[in-house]
Amino acid sequence: MSLACLPLRAAARQADPDDLLEAAIFHWMDLAQPADAASAKTIAIEARLSRAAGLPSEASGATVDVRYRWPDKLRASVTAAGEEHRAGRDGQQLWVHQPAKKFGLIGKSGVPRFTADAKSIDKSVLPPFELPIGKFKMRAVLLAVESSHAGQEKIGDFDCTILKLKVMKLAAELIGVSTNAVIHVWLRNDLLPMRITVNDGNGLDLQIDTISARVSRPAPDEQWQIKPNEQDKIHTVALSHLTRFMEVGPRLMKQEIPTLPRVSGEKKIVAQSGRGRLEMHDGTRVLFLAGSPEDMGRQHGELLKPEIQDVSGKILYGIGVGSSFFKGNWFFGEVENAQSRVVKFVDPRVLREMDALADAADLHRQEARLSNFFPELFHCSGFALLGKSTADGHVYHGRVLDYLRGVGLEQNAVVTVYQPDDGRHAWVNLTYAGFVGSVTAMNEKGISIGEMGGHGYGDWDGKPMAQLVREVMENASTLDEAIAIMKAGPRTCEYYYVVADGKTKQAVGIGATPTTFEVVRPGEAHPKLSKPVEDTVLLSAGDRYDLLSARVKEKWGKFDATAAIELMSRPICMTSNIQSVLFVPDTLDFYVANADGQNVASHTRFTKYNLNELLKKKASEAEQTKAEPSKKRTTGF
């Protein structure tokens, strides 16, 4: 039976379930996107999540108040766990308001995207609200839904018809939802929902109750504006920063990273750029860069353009902008202030490399620079095993990177081999696309280093940690030279390091702040390291340090590469373990593991490389391809 010409109340009483469901959904679609602005009405719905089994406990009892008018007006408020969060759109402006944090943002065009570049004026234009699908496609979707009457019920003042909905088995399997999922909808006579329940048969059991729902004449324009309190700090920001967050943020929750297969020995060249090239070694990226800072930046940007854009977007507009709402402080304001303080301490060569990278990767130069500030926040564990603690006399330097697993850095991991042409040391950086500093590295002289973050956040008047690590790699030939470079500073915040020297087979732990510098030798005790072990340097925190010390004592004198890798397994590594690396600096071997969609890094495949072999290959192949046209990369991996 067609419902197109029936009054809504009659439709609700007379329709079969399929027609009633279609009529209700089409009615909602007409309200959301009417034929023209003149016929647009204000929709106001207030609802409560009355049952939230399968969701975090904070969700139970949460309320939402949404007001909407096509084509460009929206105001929404969510209250959960006693805290209210507001957001809205007023024409060409987006806004967010967190009253409890006394914090808010107004995003609009016409303002600079970056404070360091007054010419970076945002020219974003918001389109009208638009439904993701039209009625024709919606009809096709509804063909996959089984609907049936489930009775009548009066809720408050409203008589409701109950519809039971179930996605057909084949459609459920295609879209990846439970074949046992059942939805019940309580429809008022005006086809607005009064209650919705969802049970997926796998523990998710939700009930959403409408507190009020009404359709009225257009509300006054001031109803759609942010309404801050007197003490609130409201930042006016580039509109594109908020629209990029809306684009990138949801992707952070959906990371599919396959597990690497067993090592097969397969190696292939993917693309070339000048003297640089990108290779795949057993499913892992190996990036070779050579020449001046501008050369290496351009090669990096051309060879890893999609990955660099992905990493930069996730860091700045996903994690960065998203952190603003947790902290109640505008991320770009915070990171740009920090950068303005550290930039004068950064080697101009590094800045030139970043800018060349940005130009080649189609990023704003400030995006590349600000993304490179991100490693300053890493936290981790590390160790060095040497002398009598090992079974074979080698030095084993382990580094566990525990930070932000699952937000999209893992699939952009890269082994980057640098060969500067100005007499600085060649070195390898275990990193992510777009980063030119380092937190985990080894150079051709057998100096390896891994960093662990501490406290002191905000002490930015010095060399960024990741640039200081790079300086060690490019200039230190001995352990003493590495210590001297790090001691000279000037340094930022609080960081800890394990540094090893393959030639002398020695290692140290370093604790450094802007004003203090401490060196711990193998087997030495320290107030923060109360369980030293002979011929080892062990750095971690809390219970993980105690367990690391106990594991080392248990296998002392028996460590080889396999045992050293096992040392980094849970719970020495945290659930946030995104990368784990083992250096053998006296042979220039190194082993790298990156987290996948199911496992922390230390529980995935470790891939073995040798820096000396990579450099030899790089030098010989660079000569052969110097005069050849660059092989451009045309697709992703």
Side-chain angles (χ1 to χ4, degrees):
M1 178 177 64
S2 174
L3 303 183
C5 298
L6 282 175
L8 294 180
R9 293 178 185 276
R13 288 195 305 269
Q14 300 176 25
D16 69 32
D18 289 337
D19 288 340
L20 180 56
L21 177 63
E22 180 180 292
I25 291 178
F26 283 8
H27 178 50
W28 303 344
M29 293 175 73
D30 288 337
L31 291 173
Q33 189 174 329
D36 53 66
S39 58
K41 294 181 172 59
T42 296
I43 306 166
I45 297 179
E46 189 176 357
R48 176 182 291 107
L49 185 57
S50 304
R51 187 169 64 244
L55 295 181
S57 58
E58 295 84 0
S60 181
T63 61
V64 59
D65 186 350
V66 178
R67 295 160 194 244
Y68 168 86
R69 189 182 83 211
W70 191 83
D72 57 9
K73 304 292 185 182
L74 175 68
R75 184 182 186 90
S77 172
V78 176
T79 301
E83 188 167 326
E84 184 182 14
H85 308 269
R86 303 171 184 168
R89 174 178 175 180
D90 181 17
Q92 286 298 310
Q93 293 185 5
L94 294 176
W95 57 265
V96 181
H97 185 206
Q98 293 181 293
K101 293 184 171 68
K102 303 184 186 304
F103 168 74
L105 301 172
I106 298 175
K108 64 179 186 179
S109 59
V111 300
R113 295 172 60 204
F114 307 103
T115 57
D117 181 4
K119 296 181 179 179
S120 61
I121 301 300
D122 192 328
K123 299 179 181 179
S124 301
V125 177
L126 292 173
F129 288 121
E130 184 176 2
L131 292 170
I133 61 174
K135 291 182 179 179
F136 180 79
K137 289 186 177 179
M138 179 57 73
R139 281 195 175 96
V141 171
L142 292 177
L143 291 175
V145 178
E146 297 175 353
S147 58
S148 59
H149 280 299
Q152 304 280 330
E153 184 176 351
K154 189 178 183 70
I155 300 179
D157 296 329
F158 297 96
D159 294 318
C160 298
T161 298
I162 308 172
L163 290 182
K164 178 182 178 181
L165 312 178
K166 198 173 188 307
V167 180
M168 295 180 183
K169 183 178 180 180
L170 180 58
E173 292 173 348
L174 287 174
I175 63 177
V177 301
S178 170
T179 57
N180 298 318
V182 177
I183 300 172
H184 286 86
V185 180
W186 281 252
L187 288 175
R188 300 180 345 189
N189 288 333
D190 61 2
L191 297 185
L192 293 179
M194 198 63 191
R195 175 179 294 161
I196 299 174
T197 65
V198 179
N199 191 315
D200 73 346
N202 294 316
L204 183 68
D205 186 10
L206 310 179
Q207 177 174 316
I208 304 168
D209 287 306
T210 298
I211 299 170
S212 66
R214 62 187 182 276
V215 179
S216 61
R217 294 178 180 178
D221 286 345
E222 59 266 20
Q223 293 281 330
W224 309 102
Q225 299 169 3
I226 188 171
K227 300 183 185 302
N229 300 313
E230 186 175 347
Q231 301 298 319
D232 293 349
K233 186 173 183 179
I234 307 300
H235 303 259
T236 298
V237 304
L239 177 61
S240 62
H241 286 349
L242 299 187
T243 57
R244 286 293 304 277
F245 169 72
M246 295 166 63
E247 170 197 346
V248 174
R251 299 208 313 260
L252 299 181
M253 303 297 106
K254 298 179 180 180
Q255 302 300 322
E256 296 182 3
I257 307 166
T259 299
L260 289 173
R262 291 186 176 182
V263 170
S264 66
E266 181 185 18
K267 299 178 182 179
K268 63 179 180 180
I269 297 178
V270 176
Q272 297 175 348
S273 173
R275 293 168 57 193
R277 72 181 182 279
L278 175 64
E279 296 187 359
M280 293 297 289
H281 291 200
D282 279 310
T284 68
R285 297 181 190 85
V286 181
L287 178 67
F288 296 86
L289 305 177
S292 68
E294 290 81 0
D295 292 336
M296 294 190 292
R298 183 180 63 257
Q299 294 158 15
H300 194 162
E302 290 180 352
L303 294 170
L304 287 180
K305 179 178 177 178
E307 292 80 8
I308 291 170
Q309 291 180 343
D310 187 51
V311 169
S312 177
K314 287 172 178 173
I315 287 173
L316 296 180
Y317 303 106
I319 300 167
V321 172
S323 71
S324 303
F325 310 125
F326 291 100
K327 298 168 65 175
N329 196 16
W330 177 228
F331 166 76
F332 272 92
E334 188 176 14
V335 73
E336 287 179 312
N337 174 64
Q339 181 189 243
S340 70
R341 292 165 60 185
V342 303
V343 68
K344 60 186 176 184
F345 299 101
V346 177
D347 188 333
R349 296 169 53 259
V350 174
L351 295 177
R352 300 203 314 268
E353 184 177 333
M354 288 183 194
D355 291 345
L357 180 154
D359 294 345
D362 288 339
L363 295 180
H364 191 284
R365 289 185 174 187
Q366 285 301 308
E367 288 177 312
R369 292 190 179 195
L370 294 172
S371 296
N372 268 276
F373 189 78
F374 185 69
E376 305 304 303
L377 310 177
F378 286 168
H379 299 79
C380 327
S381 297
F383 61 82
L385 310 170
L386 46 119
K388 292 183 289 183
S389 69
T390 71
D392 49 23
H394 290 304
V395 177
Y396 295 109
H397 174 187
R399 187 266 199 281
V400 178
L401 175 55
D402 294 320
Y403 200 67
L404 288 178
R405 171 177 166 246
V407 300
L409 293 180
E410 300 94 317
Q411 61 263 52
N412 295 301
V414 58
V415 174
T416 304
V417 180
Y418 283 89
Q419 192 169 19
D421 65 0
D422 56 2
R424 296 169 192 261
H425 301 324
W427 60 291
V428 63
N429 190 10
L430 293 318
T431 185
Y432 302 93
F435 291 138
V436 304
S438 181
V439 296
T440 312
M442 180 172 66
N443 70 16
E444 63 182 330
K445 302 300 182 181
I447 303 298
S448 58
I449 187 169
E451 166 273 341
M452 288 134 275
H455 300 287
Y457 184 84
D459 295 331
W460 300 125
D461 297 305
K463 292 181 182 178
M465 171 273 297
Q467 308 307 319
L468 189 58
V469 169
R470 176 170 178 160
E471 186 176 339
V472 170
M473 288 293 95
E474 292 183 331
N475 295 283
S477 300
T478 67
L479 183 59
D480 287 342
E481 289 177 358
I483 295 171
I485 291 170
M486 302 192 74
K487 186 175 183 179
R491 300 177 300 276
T492 62
C493 302
E494 178 185 42
Y495 297 103
Y496 298 89
Y497 308 86
V498 174
V499 187
D501 184 341
K503 297 184 299 301
T504 61
K505 296 188 176 182
Q506 288 297 312
V508 297
I510 295 174
T513 71
T515 58
T516 64
F517 190 85
E518 298 178 275
V519 177
V520 177
R521 303 284 176 178
E524 287 185 354
H526 183 276
K528 294 182 179 180
L529 305 169
S530 59
K531 299 179 179 179
V533 180
E534 182 184 358
D535 280 351
T536 70
V537 176
L538 310 177
L539 267 64
S540 193
D543 293 340
R544 290 183 297 126
Y545 170 75
D546 294 338
L547 180 58
L548 178 61
S549 178
R551 283 186 178 181
V552 170
K553 289 178 180 177
E554 180 183 354
K555 289 195 173 183
W556 193 87
K558 302 176 183 178
F559 281 105
D560 56 13
T562 300
I565 285 173
E566 291 174 352
L567 194 58
M568 294 186 275
S569 64
R570 290 278 296 145
I572 298 301
C573 72
M574 302 169 69
T575 57
S576 57
N577 174 216
I578 189 173
Q579 185 183 74
S580 294
V581 177
L582 180 72
F583 296 112
V584 190
D586 52 303
T587 66
L588 296 186
D589 287 337
F590 60 101
Y591 303 76
V592 184
N594 292 287
D596 58 31
Q598 301 296 322
N599 306 288
V600 296
S602 291
H603 292 192
T604 64
R605 190 193 83 189
F606 278 78
T607 304
K608 182 180 180 180
Y609 313 83
N610 181 273
L611 178 56
N612 194 43
E613 291 179 6
L614 293 174
L615 289 173
K616 285 182 179 178
K617 182 180 179 184
K618 183 178 189 303
S620 61
E621 293 192 1
E623 289 301 317
Q624 295 172 16
T625 62
K626 202 179 275 187
E628 298 176 7
S630 293
K631 176 183 176 183
K632 297 296 183 182
R633 178 178 167 190
T634 57
T635 62
F637 301 121

